[in-house]
Amino acid sequence: MHEVAPVNPWVALAYLVSGICFILALRGLSSPSTSRAGNRYGMLGMLLAVGVTLYTHPVPNWTMPFSWAEVGGAVAIGGLIGFVIARMISMTAMPQLVAAFHSLVGMAAVLVAAAAFLNPVPFGITDAAGEILAVSRIEMGLGIAIGAITFSGSVIAFLKLNGNMSGKPIMLPGRHIINLGTLAAILGLIAYFVTDQSPWVFWTVTGLSFLIGFLLIIPIGGADMPVVVSMLNSYSGWAAAAMGFTLHNSAMIITGALVGSSGAILSYIMCRAMNRSFISVIAGGFGGDSGGGSGEAKEQRPWKRGSAEDAAFLMQQAEQVIIVPGYGMAVAQAQHVLREMGDKLKEHGVRVKYAIHPVAGRMPGHMNVLLAEANVPYDEVFELEDINSEFAQTDVAFIIGANDVVNPAAKTDKSSPIYGMPVFDVGKAKTVLFIKRSMGGVGYAGVDNDVFYADNTMMLLADAKKMVEEIVKSLD
């Protein structure tokens, strides 16, 4: 068997420090006020991990036709591409960027597993006869399966989020049988791979895994995208951890386990916030396109329409205004003018707060990211459980681009697809100002919203950004 060189204690210590940096990064990213520090810890940990790995695996010992110049060039090109993308991407496009990055992590796991399979000796995973160790075959099979699923699933998520593919669920006939059969075949072939390392087994597992990634995400609609993004994040972590075992790299194992477990926990939190099980999300079928739902209002009911001047007057006279943003704000890119409106209101002595629902937007924390980009003070942003009780003492609830997360049907209608999902009690405010494009759209879930027709609601039908701009002018 090819012996693995003993680990230098200083190298082990460096990997431990790198792991601690990643833990501190996750801790920092749990709050907007500490997110910058969290990002710095993550960057430091990754720099340390990559540096130590290159130091302990010098290129001449790889028995591969690479030079330090080629490795350095690849790092420089990749770093430059990442820097340019990060500088150019708009905050409203962050969900699809995250999905794209997840796909790269998945593909990296696939390529590492393929490299280890085609040339296993440098990886230290062979026995005396040159056969790949049984435990390494399991690690390799799981790593390439999870990596391929992550890649193809993330590609579909990117296309849906970017508008290249409809956000509506695409229901294939017999999809559950096809998916379960494909997953069973992948697991069966990985088990068979332990006894037979024939190339056809390895590449069949790879091909089926790419296929199931597409099949799993296609039937998932736009409303479930926050869960999908966090779920794919978890998959990418487990793929990296599996490859860490193959490479005998403790930093990859630690990092992958952290990403995988945190992504899984976040997926659970998101599912609970939507009152949906993880299995029901994977089964798909909930959520429409980014146009705000394809359903029509159940019946014609009287409602009140207001103007920007009406909204400005009401908020100017208020003691407290709670703003509830949703994906419509992101689409209209209204976060900057919304913050300007909040500043104007504060100049008039109004107390302004922002209420963020866990599943508002297209990825976890989407609204927090957009408000942070607009320099909204962190102490004005509150989660659902921290602010929901305040609506009853609030003069104006200002809804911009949200819908299902403020729909009382989640509490009153047991037949509703969103029944049981925690929602904001905006109807308890003295006045509700509701910005949406038209009365036709009824949200991702296709459920009409009784708040539209309440006596204390004034509908502001317009593009979110244009309406808020007009309100700002009226506040001068």
Side-chain angles (χ1 to χ4, degrees), residues 112-403:
V112 170
F117 176 74
L118 295 173
N119 189 17
V121 174
F123 293 88
I125 57 175
T126 57
D127 56 20
E131 296 287 313
I132 300 175
L133 298 172
V135 65
S136 296
R137 296 186 203 179
I138 296 174
E139 297 162 359
M140 192 181 300
L142 291 175
I144 200 164
I146 300 172
I149 292 171
T150 303
F151 172 78
S152 54
S154 297
V155 168
I156 295 297
F158 171 83
L159 294 175
K160 283 176 174 280
L161 290 168
N162 203 46
N164 303 108
M165 177 183 290
S166 173
K168 294 181 179 180
I170 301 174
M171 302 302 184
L172 300 176
R175 66 186 186 281
H176 297 311
I177 296 175
I178 295 173
N179 291 347
L180 290 174
T182 306
L183 286 172
I186 291 172
L187 293 176
L189 286 171
I190 291 175
Y192 182 69
F193 187 53
V194 176
T195 60
D196 183 359
Q197 67 174 59
S198 298
W200 76 265
V201 181
F202 181 84
W203 296 117
T204 301
V205 169
T206 305
L208 289 176
S209 299
F210 279 124
L211 175 64
I212 194 63
F214 287 117
L215 295 177
L216 284 175
I217 307 302
I218 281 177
I220 300 178
D224 281 331
M225 273 302 139
V227 180
V228 171
V229 171
S230 61
M231 178 185 71
L232 292 170
N233 178 52
S234 179
Y235 289 175
S236 68
W238 298 125
M243 288 300 94
F245 283 104
T246 299
L247 297 177
H248 306 290
N249 189 300
S250 58
M252 280 188 69
I253 297 171
I254 294 171
T255 306
L258 287 172
V259 173
S261 57
S262 62
I265 292 171
L266 184 57
S267 297
Y268 168 75
I269 293 173
M270 304 298 281
C271 287
R272 188 177 63 179
M274 299 171 68
N275 192 38
R276 300 204 0 106
S277 68
F278 183 77
I279 298 300
S280 67
V281 172
I282 296 300
F286 180 65
D289 60 18
S290 60
S294 58
E296 295 294 326
K298 296 178 181 177
E299 57 179 310
Q300 295 297 321
R301 299 161 62 183
W303 52 278
K304 292 186 296 186
R305 181 168 188 168
S307 64
E309 292 77 14
D310 297 328
F313 176 78
L314 288 169
M315 288 192 288
Q316 229 172 346
Q317 306 304 313
E319 291 185 8
Q320 175 167 290
V321 173
I322 296 180
I323 299 171
V324 182
Y327 187 65
M329 182 193 76
V331 173
Q333 300 188 33
Q335 63 271 24
H336 293 282
V337 68
L338 185 68
R339 191 263 307 157
E340 185 180 353
M341 185 190 80
D343 292 342
K344 291 281 187 181
L345 290 173
K346 285 185 284 185
E347 291 175 5
H348 287 88
V350 181
R351 187 166 57 253
V352 177
K353 295 183 178 181
Y354 298 80
I356 307 298
H357 195 279
V359 296
R362 291 297 184 88
M363 74 173 187
H366 194 185
M367 296 300 105
N368 300 79
V369 170
L370 294 178
L371 295 180
E373 182 205 14
N375 295 318
V376 171
Y378 298 136
D379 58 0
E380 293 180 5
V381 180
F382 297 87
E383 301 295 334
L384 182 146
E385 61 271 14
D386 298 323
I387 200 172
N388 211 17
S389 61
E390 293 192 28
F391 282 101
Q393 293 83 41
T394 296
D395 298 293
V396 177
F398 187 85
I399 320 301
I400 174 171
N403 201 327

